[in-house]
Amino acid sequence: MKLWGGRFTRPTDTRVDDFHSSIGFDWQLYRYDIMGSQAHARGLARARVITEADADLIVEGLEQILTDIEAGKLPFSVEAEDIHMNIEAELIARIGEPGRRLHTGRSRNDQVAVDTRLYLKDQLSKIEGMILELQQALVEQAEATKNYIMPGFTHLQPAQPILAAHHFLAYVEMFQRDRERLADCYKRVDVCPLGAGALAGVTYPIDREWVAQQLGFSAVTANSLDAVSARDYLIEFISAAGILMMHISRLCEEIILWATPAFNFIELDDAFSTGSSIMPQKKNPDVAELARGKTGRVVGHLVGLLTMMKGLPLAYNKDMQEDKEAMFDTVHTCVGVLGVMTPMIRSMQVKPERMENACVEGFLTATDLADYLVRKGVPFRSAHEIVGKIVLYCTENQLTLADLSTAELRRFAPEADDDVQETISLQASVNARMVIGGTAPAAVENALSRARKLVADRLLRGAN
Ligand code: ARG
């Protein structure tokens, strides 16, 4: 049975039903569709468009439908097309005429927009909370590694020594911005489109603000055309999710590298690693790899939606139904990835000796030696060249900087005194970077207290 069948004389081709039906995925909106319909029914009664008695029957009937859906007792039909019409048809089947009054002063166009916004509000809040947990795991790792010195890299070449905690805290900052982006996006999602109708607004005196308030929205949309045809709030979410996934992917890439025998900076917990079906010795970082790989689909959804929307005239066009799978998949991907990332980070072991050895092998205090010569009056460019020659000499003779005596150093740089040795130690190098945001232990201690405050609070408090 089609709820819009009046002007048609022939039934829809079943191939069309299969093609345009969205129930296969938009069933996930059922709870929000029911919430939206209940608030709409109350709004109609308040405006005296339907009776309070009918509104009661509608609200109660929808409540029972919700219970039955959650109990898995209500199969959906492809013929009814989407979640909105599945539920409305079921309501009519159950309560008859009052059910036929529900769609007064409403269109599926404002209905689908309100469902999506309600769904997204919950998901934004849930994902924000999950990022917070990931940050907490990173802060724990930072606490545990605040005395560990590791190589910092540029071009993936050993560059300067840093505290391992400093590295973990860099990700805390990235994820903080991700949370802020989601919280900011929330403001634009948190607007109620009900009352926009199909495109031009409705003819019934519905109190839009009251309905919006019932649903927990902070505002109502200001333009009916925009209300039914805007998808930028969703694109914004997917964009923020894409950036989040990109950050997760970078972290995963480092975990993968660090877990290789070549780096050997960390040991992943057995519970978060997998084996090989053929090579008995293998312990693979599959979780991190899969998380890195899943970034691609979220970025793909972003490009897909921007492309889908870019040529659409106002107002609603069926093309927009394509937003749903992108939205659901983005949510499921972020939730799934964050759900395993946090315990993987929390359970991994960091290996300080390996990190420190990598610093020694990589001439990581070469910049400090140049800075030392600058303090002795050598122009920086000349100091750079002198230290470059020292590094070359060490490489040719399989030596590290620490192997050179002061006398040997003075052959290259007569300005060097005995105090040169303590300046070019790893610890001295780190200690010297006392600027705000630097890697000195005291600066990192400050960064840790900042991070502890950041992870003490949710930015969004929704249903989750
Ligand atoms: N399933 C549709 C969607 O997701 C609902 C809105 C349909 N509106 C319409 N006028 N055909 O976009």
Side-chain angles (χ1 to χ4, degrees):
M1 194 255 314
K2 289 275 192 295
L3 291 177
W4 41 253
R7 64 100 65 215
F8 290 78
T9 52
R10 292 201 298 134
T12 317
D13 190 298
T14 50
R15 287 166 294 195
V16 173
D17 278 336
D18 288 343
F19 177 65
H20 86 151
S21 167
S22 54
I23 189 66
F25 42 88
D26 68 11
W27 65 268
Q28 294 170 79
L29 295 172
Y30 69 85
R31 190 160 8 126
Y32 306 100
D33 195 71
I34 287 174
M35 267 165 77
S37 290
Q38 288 176 328
H40 178 64
R42 291 285 179 220
L44 288 175
R46 240 175 89 90
R48 309 217 174 287
V49 179
I50 64 173
T51 63
E52 286 293 350
D54 279 353
D56 288 344
L57 286 168
I58 292 171
V59 169
E60 181 48 30
L62 288 169
E63 205 56 40
Q64 281 169 16
I65 290 175
L66 177 63
T67 310
D68 289 351
I69 294 175
E70 303 214 299
K73 284 195 224 146
L74 212 160
F76 298 117
S77 112
V78 167
E79 206 211 341
E81 202 176 316
D82 56 24
I83 187 62
H84 324 295
M85 291 202 293
N86 264 273
I87 289 175
E88 192 186 336
E90 182 63 25
L91 182 71
I92 291 169
R94 290 185 183 199
I95 68 168
E97 190 164 295
R100 299 182 74 85
R101 298 188 194 279
L102 169 62
H103 210 56
T104 316
R106 183 176 78 167
S107 153
R108 267 186 301 156
N109 299 347
D110 54 353
Q111 188 179 356
V112 72
V114 82
D115 292 9
T116 309
R117 286 173 180 270
L118 287 168
Y119 169 84
L120 263 184
K121 280 176 61 175
D122 272 0
Q123 304 309 319
L124 284 168
S125 156
K126 176 173 182 170
I127 294 170
E128 192 265 326
M130 293 185 83
I131 303 173
L132 178 79
E133 285 167 22
L134 175 57
Q135 286 179 302
Q136 285 166 342
L138 288 162
V139 172
E140 281 169 32
Q141 282 291 358
E143 294 276 5
T145 60
K146 61 184 180 187
N147 297 318
Y148 298 179
I149 298 182
M150 66 175 276
F153 297 86
T154 62
H155 313 265
L156 200 53
Q157 300 290 328
Q160 291 176 347
I162 55 171
L163 295 185
H166 196 52
H167 201 109
F168 289 120
L169 290 174
Y171 282 98
V172 173
E173 293 295 325
M174 293 179 229
F175 291 127
Q176 184 65 20
R177 293 193 294 275
D178 288 323
R179 284 168 64 210
E180 287 169 7
R181 263 185 284 275
L182 293 180
D184 200 57
C185 171
Y186 188 96
K187 292 184 221 154
R188 282 171 289 283
V189 175
D190 190 18
V191 185
C192 185
L194 279 183
L199 74 161
V202 297
T203 54
Y204 305 91
I206 295 171
D207 182 347
R208 291 190 63 205
E209 271 151 353
W210 184 86
V211 175
Q213 216 174 21
Q214 302 307 300
L215 288 169
F217 282 108
S218 301
V220 298
T221 51
N223 179 295
S224 60
L225 293 168
D226 181 43
V228 291
S229 69
R231 292 294 181 273
D232 53 292
Y233 59 88
L234 171 55
I235 294 175
E236 197 176 335
F237 159 61
I238 298 183
S239 159
I243 299 174
L244 163 69
M245 286 299 299
M246 176 273 288
H247 285 154
I248 291 177
S249 184
R250 294 183 72 180
L251 176 54
C252 287
E253 170 68 13
E254 300 206 299
I255 287 169
I256 293 160
L257 279 173
W258 291 2
T260 59
F263 274 79
N264 199 14
F265 285 1
I266 54 167
E267 181 76 30
L268 288 172
D269 194 281
D270 280 2
F272 291 90
S273 316
T274 49
S276 155
S277 60
I278 171 169
M279 297 165 283
Q281 85 283 12
K282 293 284 285 237
K283 177 169 168 184
N284 293 329
D286 283 37
V287 171
E289 291 170 81
L290 196 51
R292 182 180 60 182
K294 282 182 185 289
T295 307
R297 59 200 296 157
V298 175
V299 175
H301 292 319
L302 175 61
V303 176
L305 282 201
L306 285 168
T307 313
M308 181 272 285
M309 286 297 291
K310 73 178 265 295
L312 298 188
L314 298 183
Y316 178 84
N317 301 272
K318 183 79 170 216
D319 315 45
M320 291 174 175
Q321 178 169 288
E322 285 288 300
D323 66 356
K324 304 289 174 315
E325 285 154 294
M327 173 176 76
F328 294 129
D329 190 65
T330 299
V331 167
H332 297 154
T333 302
C334 292
V335 169
V337 166
L338 285 164
V340 284
M341 278 302 286
T342 301
M344 177 178 71
I345 297 287
R346 198 165 264 146
S347 60
M348 76 188 191
Q349 288 295 326
V350 178
K351 299 177 173 174
E353 314 77 32
R354 281 295 313 156
M355 288 180 158
E356 189 158 338
N357 285 346
C359 291
V360 176
E361 290 156 11
F363 302 103
L364 265 81
T365 54
T367 316
D368 300 274
L369 182 52
D371 286 341
Y372 169 85
L373 295 176
V374 167
R375 287 198 297 279
K376 298 284 175 182
V378 181
F380 182 77
R381 268 296 146 237
S382 316
H384 188 289
E385 194 175 335
I386 293 167
V387 178
K389 295 225 157 68
I390 296 174
V391 168
L392 182 63
Y393 170 79
C394 287
T395 319
E396 283 168 349
N397 296 283
Q398 277 114 51
L399 298 168
T400 68
L401 281 185
D403 294 329
L404 299 181
S405 67
T406 309
E408 274 173 296
L409 282 169
R410 285 173 65 91
R411 291 210 333 255
F412 296 90
E415 296 80 358
D417 291 327
D418 280 338
D419 58 351
V420 68
Q421 295 296 345
E422 73 205 47
T423 338
I424 61 170
S425 73
L426 292 175
Q427 192 65 55
S429 167
V430 174
N431 289 352
R433 288 170 168 77
M434 253 310 294
V435 287
I436 297 172
T439 197
V444 169
E445 203 53 71
N446 288 339
L448 262 171
S449 23
R450 168 186 154 83
R452 274 185 227 111
K453 276 187 216 118
L454 293 180
V455 303
D457 262 321
R458 294 279 302 267
L459 297 178
L460 289 174
R461 281 177 204 280
N464 302 283

